Amino acid sequence: MYWQEEIETMQRPQLEQLQVERLKRTLDIAGNTPFYSSLFKSRGVASSTIHSLDDIKKLPFTTKEDLRNNYPFGLIAGDPKDAVRLHSSSGTTGNPTVIVHSRHDLDSWANLVARCLYMVGLRKTDVFQNSSGYGMFTGGLGFQYGAERLGALTVPAAAGNSRRQVKFIMDFGTTAVHAIPSYATRLAEVFGEMGIDPKKDTRLTTLIIGAEPHTEAQRKRIEELLGVKAYNCFGMSEMNGPGVAFECTYQNGLHLWEDTYIMEIIDPETLKPVPDGETGELVLTTLDREMMPLIRYRTRDLTRILPGVCSCGRTHRRIDRLKGRSDDMFIVKGVNIFPMQIEKILLNFKELSTNYLITIETVGNNDELTVEVELAEMFTDEYMALQQLTRQITGQLRDEILLTPKVKLVEKGTLPLTEGKAVRVKDFRKL
C-alpha cells in the first residue's frame, strides 16, 4: 500500500493541479479562523481567486509568532469536538506553539511516514526501534504510528538507556533504528563497550537520522560504525513532525511530498521567491490538514530546491540538506535552543555581567554546548563561591534548555566585544 505509485510518480501538470484543488479546500477551512479570515479579507483573497500555484503569492505568510500570539487554540479551523491530539513546543521563549490534530490529520501523517519508510526499503517484515522521546516531541509518536501503518514490528524504546537499547537490538532482531546523529554515534560506542560488533552480531541494516544538523562526513562515519545505510529525514512539529521530506535510496536530496505540502523558497530579507537551485528560506503550506491548516508558514530553515529529476522515478521535487536557519535558533542533540533562553537564566544572577558567549563543537562523537559568561566586577573570586555559583547556573540552564551545558565563569573584559549586533553563538560544527 505504501508504494503509492499513482501519487509518487504523478506527472507535474497533474500533481500541480492536485495541489491547486487542495489549496482551495485548505483556504476554505482556514477561513473559519478569525486570524486567517481577517488576513484573507485584507488581501481580497478567497479560494475562488486561486487558479494556479502562482496565485499562492497572493496569500499572507504565517510565522511562529502568529502561533504564539494565538496560543493555545486560536488557529483551530475545524470543529474542536473532532480534535484528538495536540503537540506542543517547550514554550521556553514565550508561549509554546501548539498544533492540534483530527483523526484525519493523524491518519494522513502516519501515511506519510509509512511512505517514507517504504521508500528506503523498510517492509512489514522489519523490526523498527524508535529511540526518540515520546510525549509532546513529535519524533516519537510520528515514527511510531508510521511504522505501525507500514506493518513493521515496532519497538518504542524511547530515548536514553543505551545499554538497554543495545539489548533490545540484539534480543528483538531490530533491523532499523531511528536516532538523532549524535546518539547514533553514542550507540556505536556502547556496542564497543559491550564487546558487540554491530556489523556482524546484529540484523541492523537501516538507520533513520534527523532532528539535528549533521554533515555528510558524519553520516558516512555513522554508516561505517554501525554497518547500516543512514537516511536523512526532515520534519517539524508545525507541519505535523517527521515525514515532510525524506531521502530515497539514491540519497541525492530529500523528496518533499508535494501532494501534502506546497513548498516555496524565498529570500528571507525581501520575501521574494528565488530560482530553483538557489538557497533561501523554506516556506510550507499544508494541503491535507483539517483541524489546523497553516498557510505559507515561514520555517526559517535554509535550503534549496534541487533541479532535475531523481533516478528513483518519483516526481516530487527534492530539497537539499538544510544549511541552517534564518533566525538565531540552533539545535543540539535534537533540542531546539534560542540564545534568549540562556540569556534569561544568566540575567537572574547579579554576580554575572551581561556579556556571554555560547559555543557548540563536536568533541569525539558528541556535540558539546559551552556557555562562557563574564563575572560582574563586584563579585569575589573566592574559589568555593565560584564553584557553587557555577553549579547553580548549570542547574537552571539544564532545567530551561533540557541539556546540561558546560559553564565557564571568566573575568570581566575577557570575552570579545563587537560593534553592532553581538555575536552570541559560535557553532564550530559548521566548519
Side-chain angles (χ1 to χ4, degrees), residues 341-403:
Q341 292 176 256
I342 292 175
E343 181 173 294
K344 180 175 69 174
I345 297 300
L346 299 180
L347 291 176
N348 290 336
F349 292 86
K350 66 181 186 304
E351 299 92 342
L352 304 177
S353 79
T354 58
N355 199 18
Y356 65 92
L357 177 66
I358 302 164
T359 58
I360 313 145
E361 57 185 341
T362 301
V363 179
N365 290 321
N366 294 306
D367 290 343
E368 286 191 359
L369 176 68
T370 301
V371 178
E372 291 182 90
V373 57
E374 292 183 353
L375 292 163
E377 289 178 333
M378 76 283 195
F379 186 66
T380 176
D381 61 355
E382 200 271 323
Y383 178 80
M384 293 301 295
L386 288 176
Q387 291 293 98
Q388 182 179 2
L389 178 61
T390 300
R391 287 193 295 268
Q392 291 175 345
I393 297 169
T394 302
Q396 290 196 27
L397 286 173
R398 181 184 62 244
D399 293 341
E400 174 69 17
I401 63 175
L402 307 181
L403 288 175

Side-chain angles (χ1 to χ4, degrees), residues 12-13 15 32 73-74 112 114 119 207 285 288 375 407 415 424:
R12 292 301 308 178
L15 181 55
N32 293 325
F73 302 132
L112 287 183
M119 182 166 60
L207 180 70
T285 297
D288 195 30
L375 292 163
V407 174
L415 299 178
R424 296 298 194 190

Side-chain angles (χ1 to χ4, degrees), residues 46-343:
S47 60
S48 60
T49 66
I50 302 298
H51 306 290
S52 70
L53 281 184
D54 195 56
D55 290 333
I56 199 170
K57 298 173 186 175
K58 303 175 183 177
L59 305 178
F61 290 104
T62 308
T63 66
K64 186 181 289 287
E65 288 70 30
D66 294 326
L67 294 178
R68 288 176 173 153
N69 292 339
N70 288 275
Y71 172 87
F73 302 132
L75 282 177
I76 289 183
D79 189 334
K81 295 194 299 294
D82 294 330
V84 296
R85 191 202 300 168
L86 65 79
H87 284 279
S88 169
S89 68
S90 62
T92 47
T93 58
N95 281 335
T97 57
V98 172
I99 301 296
V100 182
H101 299 278
S102 68
R103 173 55 56 192
H104 168 86
D105 299 338
L106 294 182
D107 286 343
S108 175
W109 180 14
N111 183 71
L112 287 183
V113 177
R115 186 192 292 181
C116 294
L117 297 177
Y118 188 96
M119 182 166 60
V120 297
L122 271 62
R123 300 294 183 267
K124 64 184 301 181
T125 52
D126 279 285
V127 179
F128 181 85
Q129 185 163 321
N130 191 6
S131 70
S132 283
Y134 283 68
M136 290 298 194
F137 180 59
T138 57
L141 291 173
F143 273 106
Q144 178 72 27
Y145 281 83
E148 288 180 359
R149 179 67 58 88
L150 181 68
L153 174 60
T154 58
V155 183
N161 201 334
S162 301
R163 287 182 171 263
R164 188 183 68 166
Q165 297 276 359
V166 171
K167 177 177 173 56
F168 286 170
I169 290 171
M170 300 294 294
D171 294 350
F172 303 149
T174 299
T175 58
V177 171
H178 171 233
I180 62 175
S182 58
Y183 190 62
T185 56
R186 174 57 187 157
L187 280 179
E189 293 174 350
V190 175
F191 272 116
E193 293 168 3
M194 298 174 68
I196 300 171
D197 185 344
K199 302 177 186 178
K200 299 178 181 178
D201 301 333
T202 76
R203 296 179 57 203
L204 287 176
T205 59
T206 306
L207 180 70
I208 309 300
I209 53 177
E212 70 179 7
H214 62 281
T215 64
E216 183 63 18
Q218 186 179 4
R219 188 241 291 267
K220 293 297 184 185
R221 176 165 174 76
I222 291 170
E223 290 181 333
E224 180 181 345
L225 289 170
L226 295 175
V228 296
K229 286 296 292 182
Y231 296 98
N232 194 13
C233 68
F234 167 72
M236 57 192 314
S237 60
E238 295 91 335
M239 295 293 122
N240 294 338
V244 176
F246 221 85
E247 285 184 319
C248 67
T249 53
Y250 284 87
Q251 295 184 302
N252 55 0
L254 293 85
H255 290 275
L256 192 142
W257 299 122
E258 294 185 88
D259 61 315
T260 308
Y261 305 98
I262 293 176
M263 67 169 163
E264 306 169 74
I265 305 293
I266 65 169
D267 184 309
E269 298 296 330
T270 66
L271 306 185
K272 301 296 184 182
V274 303
D276 288 1
E278 290 189 15
T279 297
E281 180 182 335
L282 177 65
V283 174
L284 293 172
T285 297
T286 64
L287 294 178
D288 195 30
R289 201 154 71 188
E290 295 179 341
M291 186 57 60
M292 198 169 167
L294 293 179
I295 309 300
R296 300 191 82 190
Y297 184 75
R298 294 189 59 185
T299 69
R300 301 292 184 173
D301 289 312
L302 299 175
T303 184
R304 64 189 180 111
I305 295 175
L306 296 175
V309 296
C310 183
S311 300
C312 75
R314 292 174 178 84
T315 54
H316 297 240
R317 291 177 298 171
R318 295 159 295 135
I319 59 173
D320 202 357
R321 178 191 300 271
L322 299 184
K323 307 294 185 183
R325 292 184 58 83
S326 60
D327 58 17
D328 58 356
M329 188 189 84
F330 55 92
I331 304 173
V332 179
K333 297 183 178 180
V335 178
N336 297 345
I337 303 172
F338 288 85
M340 285 186 63
Q341 292 176 256
I342 292 175
E343 181 173 294

